[in-house]
Amino acid sequence: MAVLRQAGKRLVQAVPVLFGVVAVNFLLMQAAPGDLADVLAGEQGAATPEMMAELRARFGLDQPVWVQFAHYLGNLLTGDFGYSHRLGLPVLTLILERLPATLLLMLPAVFLAAGSGMVLGGWAARRAGTWLDGLISVGVLIAYATPLFWAGLMAIVVFAVQLQWLPVGGMRDPSAAYTGLAMAGDVARHMVLPVCSLALFYAALYARLMRASMLSALQQDYIRTARAKGLSPFQVEAVHAGRNALLPVLTMVGLQAGSLIGGAVLVETVFSWPGLGRLAFDAILRRDLNLLLGIVLVSSMTVILVNFVVDLLYGLADPRVRAA
Amino acid sequence: MSHPILSRRLLLAGMGMAGMSVAPARAQSTPRRGGTLTAIVQPEPPTLVSALNAGAPTGVVSTNIFDGLFSYDWDMGLKPALATRWEVATDGLAITFHLRPNVRWHDGQAFTAEDVKFSLEEVWRKIHPRGRATFANVEAVETPDPLTVVLRLKQPSPVILGALNAYESQILPKHLYAGSDALANPLNLKPIGTGPFRFKEWVRGEHIILERNPDYWDEGKPYLDRIVFRVVPDATARAALLETGQAQYAPYSPVPLTDVARLRALPGIAIETRGYEWISPWLFLEFNLRKPELGDVRVRRAIAHAINRDVIAKTVWHGFGKAAVSTIPSTVTRFHNANVPQYPFDVRKAEALLDEAGHKRGADGMRFAISHDFLPYGDDYRRTGEYVRQALRRVGIDLTLRSQDTPSYLRRVFGEYEFDMSSSWASSFSDPQIGVQRFYWSKTINKGTPWTNASGYASPAMDQVIEAAQRSADPAERTRLFNEMQRLAAEDLPCLPLIELNFFTVHSKKLHDVAMGPDAVYASLKHAWLEG
């Protein structure tokens, strides 16, 4: 019941946030020079004044900015995300088309990164100061400092071109019509490189965070008590210290999972992955205002939703948060 | 008489082999039926109908699904497609097309003269960015019988004969488009044409699949069973796909020029530069004549003398280009005029002209400062800009390069005229009236319209020549007029042609017969076949 009440409160709070997000992005796109009519004329390599006027009238770009904005908001209230005039499809259709690919890339990457980051960080903290800690820390530093696109390109060169173990890119092999298990296997093969490249960077971040927070947890009085009580080292370190050390990492995962929807442009581009990040990036370059606003709106909603879930997880990890 | 195709091919083969130790020429010359071709298209086309979006990626895919009335042979002559022959009235005021019988749309309906009439009246002339001008003088379209179309013209328009292939004037099915808002028709994303391949599926962001049309009018063709166009946004990934043989065909310069040498050295890969003659791309500088310094023709001529076009072709573009001698490229053989004023690379002459124009070097060694906006289509354009900056600094012109994204570039140059000098490429097409005149005619100074006369150049003499060529029905007279146009263009220099660009296609050596005409990049792959 309490959860529902909290959810209701969050929902009400979300309305002004979403409005702000839409308004700011709308205005930012107005500030960018050129509009969709320029883009269409540009990519066709020719235009006439009549064509420019017709296109602008068609897209509503001949109206004053505030009219365009009011029009957009009005549609939004009826659940209409608008239409991408360049791609000839409703914005919602375009977003939903890309959502599975995005989730297929981001969810495994986040779990892989959080899991391996916590294990590595926790391990390094337990052995703080030893050669193992040093090894993990240096590895983490290198992974953290490597540009994402470079790591991706190198992975392609090594695993797809030289060794030819894995495909260069894409989400499936379009020339083979797989079904069932064979299809799942094909998609999994295509997922390996992009998921690992993406996880590499985040894992490094989580490992550093986990190490620091684990170190401070291990200094606490209750750890000494637990040890004195005669609990096994695993119980003490993993359950007592680990659970408390988790909070900062969880916060970070929550923050970053928000960028889940549109945040993987580089990896999507390098690996030809058909996700929302590329769609958003193209929408900016092509001044496809409706499409961009739609994606921004969906990712804002994701941020709000994920933050809510993270708040609930806090309660599970630390009962004191629940009480407050 | 040497055969033009044969000699060109031999020449290319000779050039290719010169640097190689062994070039095993597999003599498999009879086409093989079957196979799936994996091709790369980049960027992803927004729609699949060229008649409604004349962009390059749409053209590459769409021309496999749709036909035009004709295609072009190596001499830019018409080759029958949906039309088998044509006649132009002696006064030039009527063009008659005789259509191919027994052609069916992919949905089984018969193709007739009504489809041609509809496409011309409702699509090419109302929506197509160039068709609007090309077909402007068509007064009426008559269809005396289902296989005959007669265009009645207000004035002779020979330009029409240069614009009749599947890309430039694509025939759409009247029964599926009539009465609808063509630009919003859902079929634009799953088109129905008469072409050699049928649309199968499009998974946005991933691939477009086309399948062989077994009822195609050109019997026995196409040879391929299937074409998969993959969308691959990253250039390194494109090169990797081609290198590993996971893709066998990629048109429109798909990899950076710096990667070409490496790919060319691989045994299974061919680099093809033919098939782009019908678009004949050229790279040029456009001067904003509204700016006081650049309004002076002596300054523009000085800039021309200061730039070594051979360096741009050989170094900046890695040999994928040829120094331009005139505004109509040499590949447009019918109209090209090499006999126009030239501005050979000559720093001293450039300096003398600048001195004469009253721009003395200041204390810092510079005469004046201008900016240069380059078309943001990749590194080659940026490096062209960097070379021009160096070349002009040498003669005392301080050049600032400005980079921006494409809509910003278009808005700045064509929308606001807030530029000094810009560089970009454009298609010349086989008729200068379609591709080149727009940069020189005073009636195309249309603020806010991309790819028009942004320099502000307006010359009564030039206008007279251009307009006379538009009206003339006599081919020889048109050639003479366009020769004169090129002479004026070189004299007044509102645009400085830099190089004739060689775009290229990368393909597997197992894929044969890809460049079968001057418009091959915008033609179907019906001749193409894969070795088994």
Side-chain angles (χ1 to χ4, degrees):
Chain A
M1 215 38 229
V3 172
L4 278 183
R5 205 172 327 117
Q6 211 182 342
K9 212 168 87 187
R10 285 300 183 86
L11 204 63
V12 175
Q13 284 171 347
V15 173
V17 172
L18 288 179
F19 176 81
V21 165
V22 170
V24 166
N25 279 285
F26 190 91
L27 288 175
L28 276 179
M29 279 292 272
Q30 300 300 326
D35 60 17
L36 185 57
D38 287 316
V39 169
L40 284 176
E43 65 188 14
Q44 301 196 59
T48 65
E50 298 78 33
M51 169 177 154
M52 298 302 285
E54 282 163 28
L55 288 178
R56 293 216 166 91
R58 191 181 181 88
F59 307 153
L61 293 170
D62 52 348
Q63 305 286 318
V65 173
W66 68 269
V67 174
Q68 293 180 40
F69 186 55
H71 191 71
Y72 183 80
L73 279 186
N75 284 346
L76 213 53
L77 287 179
T78 63
D80 180 1
F81 276 58
Y83 185 80
S84 165
H85 292 285
R86 181 168 175 273
L87 300 177
L89 283 172
V91 167
L92 201 58
T93 309
L94 287 165
I95 293 178
L96 292 179
E97 262 178 16
R98 298 293 184 100
L99 207 53
T102 304
L103 295 178
L104 207 55
L105 174 65
M106 294 300 298
L107 290 179
V110 167
F111 280 113
L112 184 64
S116 59
M118 286 175 199
V119 170
L120 283 176
W123 204 12
R126 273 185 60 201
R127 303 284 183 82
T130 66
W131 64 271
L132 187 74
D133 179 31
L135 192 71
I136 293 179
S137 297
V138 168
V140 158
L141 197 68
I142 290 174
Y144 187 66
T146 308
L148 208 51
F149 75 93
W150 189 82
L153 288 178
M154 286 306 112
I156 290 183
V157 169
V158 174
F159 295 105
V161 178
Q162 299 297 332
L163 299 171
Q164 308 217 355
W165 290 349
L166 293 163
V168 172
M171 197 167 79
R172 64 189 113 184
D173 181 357
S175 48
Y178 293 121
T179 49
L181 264 185
M183 186 173 88
D186 183 44
V187 171
R189 260 165 52 78
H190 282 83
M191 275 168 67
V192 176
L193 290 183
V195 166
C196 290
S197 310
L198 194 57
L200 191 69
F201 173 82
Y202 288 114
L205 197 70
Y206 299 148
R208 283 175 72 94
L209 213 61
M210 186 68 186
R211 181 179 177 276
S213 112
M214 188 75 172
L215 271 180
S216 83
L218 284 172
Q219 313 286 318
Q220 301 293 321
D221 288 345
Y222 63 80
I223 297 297
R224 204 176 328 136
T225 315
R227 286 215 170 100
K229 203 160 75 169
L231 291 179
S232 72
F234 176 80
Q235 275 253 313
V236 172
E237 283 156 12
V239 180
H240 287 252
R243 196 166 149 189
N244 282 306
L246 222 54
L247 281 184
V249 180
L250 214 55
T251 311
M252 205 60 189
V253 173
L255 279 178
Q256 283 174 342
S259 59
L260 214 124
I261 293 297
V265 187
L266 287 177
V267 166
E268 285 176 14
T269 302
V270 169
F271 292 102
S272 319
W273 193 266
L276 273 174
R278 253 169 70 195
L279 193 67
F281 185 65
D282 279 348
I284 297 172
L285 279 187
R286 321 263 190 226
R287 304 291 190 265
D288 196 337
L289 184 61
N290 288 350
L291 181 55
L292 181 75
L293 289 178
I295 297 172
V296 164
L297 209 56
V298 168
S299 53
S300 311
M301 289 184 203
T302 320
V303 173
I304 291 170
L305 185 76
V306 169
N307 277 343
F308 179 64
V309 172
V310 168
D311 279 359
L312 291 183
L313 287 179
Y314 278 158
L316 290 182
D318 187 342
R320 289 170 301 180
V321 176
R322 212 173 335 174
Chain B
M1 278 296 283
S2 75
H3 193 282
I5 305 174
L6 202 64
S7 58
R8 215 171 300 188
R9 203 174 277 171
L10 283 175
L11 188 70
L12 271 164
M15 275 164 27
M17 279 180 214
M20 278 177 213
S21 48
V22 205
R26 278 195 65 180
Q28 191 177 357
S29 50
T30 35
R32 190 185 74 98
R33 260 273 292 122
T36 293
L37 172 69
T38 304
I40 296 175
V41 61
Q42 188 53 40
E44 186 168 32
T47 134
L48 297 183
V49 181
S50 282
L52 300 168
N53 184 310
T58 302
V60 166
V61 180
S62 183
T63 47
N64 287 290
I65 305 169
F66 291 94
D67 285 309
L69 290 174
F70 295 91
S71 60
Y72 291 95
D73 63 25
W74 288 109
D75 299 318
M76 300 293 170
L78 294 174
K79 252 181 11 182
L82 286 182
T84 50
R85 58 200 172 84
W86 82 101
E87 291 131 26
V88 180
T90 39
D91 61 0
L93 293 176
I95 305 177
T96 306
F97 297 118
H98 300 279
L99 306 183
R100 187 179 295 277
N102 306 319
V103 174
R104 299 206 164 268
W105 292 96
H106 294 163
D107 66 354
Q109 297 277 323
F111 156 76
T112 70
E114 286 303 315
D115 295 312
V116 179
K117 178 179 162 76
F118 170 79
S119 301
L120 194 160
E121 289 180 339
E122 299 301 320
V123 183
W124 309 341
R125 214 164 56 174
K126 284 195 181 156
I127 298 171
H128 196 278
R130 289 180 294 269
R132 289 165 188 256
T134 306
F135 296 97
N137 289 317
V138 177
E139 204 165 32
V141 183
E142 292 164 8
T143 52
D145 66 70
L147 294 178
T148 310
V149 181
V150 184
L151 312 190
R152 299 276 171 216
L153 306 170
K154 274 183 271 188
Q155 65 178 49
S157 303
V159 61
I160 289 174
L161 298 178
L164 291 174
N165 60 9
Y167 164 71
E168 190 70 2
S169 298
Q170 190 167 67
I171 312 283
L172 297 190
K174 181 185 179 186
H175 66 283
L176 298 172
Y177 277 86
S180 77
D181 173 4
L183 283 169
N185 193 316
L187 283 174
N188 300 341
L189 308 181
K190 42 180 185 332
I192 288 179
T194 55
F197 294 92
R198 289 177 176 172
F199 172 81
K200 170 84 186 312
E201 75 167 2
W202 182 3
V203 183
R204 240 168 304 280
E206 290 187 64
H207 60 252
I208 298 161
I209 298 181
L210 310 182
E211 283 191 326
R212 184 172 191 271
N213 175 8
D215 305 321
Y216 189 52
W217 52 262
D218 196 350
E219 223 165 301
K221 286 179 184 149
Y223 296 113
L224 298 166
D225 281 339
R226 222 140 87 102
I227 308 178
V228 178
F229 284 99
R230 291 187 58 172
V231 178
V232 186
D234 184 73
T236 310
R238 289 198 287 275
L241 279 173
L242 291 160
E243 192 175 340
T244 56
Q246 292 177 58
Q248 299 99 30
Y249 175 75
Y252 248 110
S253 309
V255 297
L257 292 172
T258 42
D259 267 359
V260 172
R262 186 174 62 82
L263 285 179
R264 205 202 302 259
L266 296 173
I269 289 189
I271 309 282
E272 176 63 83
T273 55
R274 289 170 307 156
Y276 298 90
E277 292 84 349
W278 180 76
I279 58 172
S280 282
W282 58 306
L283 180 77
F284 60 101
L285 288 181
E286 187 161 19
F287 302 107
N288 190 347
L289 271 47
R290 298 167 193 85
K291 304 285 168 173
E293 293 92 355
L294 296 168
D296 184 338
V297 71
R298 288 171 300 189
V299 172
R300 302 199 293 274
R301 288 176 183 160
I303 290 175
H305 279 300
I307 292 173
N308 188 341
R309 283 169 284 281
D310 280 322
V311 170
I312 296 182
K314 293 199 179 102
T315 308
V316 180
W317 289 81
H318 294 255
F320 282 85
K322 191 175 112 182
V325 296
S326 176
T327 188
I328 297 176
S330 61
T331 38
V332 187
T333 43
R334 196 174 298 170
F335 298 105
H336 172 67
N337 179 7
N339 194 18
V340 299
Q342 297 294 322
Y343 303 92
F345 177 55
D346 186 341
V347 173
R348 245 182 298 165
K349 199 151 182 193
E351 301 242 24
L353 277 165
L354 289 169
D355 284 336
E356 188 193 319
H359 302 292
K360 302 281 182 228
R361 281 187 189 260
D364 60 349
M366 290 295 155
R367 301 169 190 273
F368 56 87
I370 51 176
S371 62
H372 177 191
D373 296 277
F374 58 90
L375 184 68
Y377 278 13
D379 275 351
D380 312 318
Y381 296 87
R382 171 190 293 278
R383 283 186 289 122
T384 303
E386 283 164 359
Y387 167 74
V388 170
R389 177 173 60 189
Q390 270 180 18
L392 293 195
R393 285 224 167 130
R394 199 169 155 201
V395 297
I397 300 175
D398 189 10
L399 197 75
T400 316
L401 277 188
R402 289 196 297 209
S403 69
Q404 55 230 310
D405 73 356
T406 310
S408 308
Y409 169 87
L410 295 170
R411 187 52 74 89
R412 193 201 290 268
V413 173
F414 298 100
E416 287 152 4
Y417 298 149
E418 278 303 321
F419 72 105
D420 295 330
M421 211 164 91
S422 78
S423 55
S424 70
W425 80 273
S427 300
S428 304
F429 296 107
S430 61
D431 194 308
Q433 198 179 323
I434 303 177
V436 178
Q437 96 177 6
R438 54 185 164 164
F439 299 109
Y440 295 96
W441 193 19
S442 74
K443 289 187 184 150
T444 49
I445 304 178
N446 296 314
K447 198 170 184 178
T449 307
W451 316 119
T452 52
N453 176 346
S455 66
Y457 171 67
S459 144
M462 178 64 97
D463 288 354
Q464 208 179 5
V465 172
I466 285 177
E467 285 159 29
Q470 289 169 359
R471 282 190 307 268
S472 170
D474 173 13
E477 170 75 357
R478 285 187 91 225
T479 300
R480 193 190 65 71
L481 287 163
F482 279 120
N483 281 344
E484 173 65 6
M485 179 234 172
Q486 289 169 79
R487 198 187 59 74
L488 288 172
E491 209 157 82
D492 295 343
L493 223 56
C495 297
L496 172 63
L498 295 175
I499 60 171
E500 301 175 3
L501 291 169
N502 280 337
F503 288 163
F504 59 91
T505 298
V506 183
H507 68 88
S508 157
K509 282 194 179 148
K510 288 199 166 133
L511 180 71
H512 297 262
D513 295 343
V514 286
M516 299 300 278
D519 54 351
V521 65
Y522 286 146
S524 76
L525 288 161
K526 69 176 179 180
H527 306 286
W529 55 278
L530 275 167
E531 253 173 53

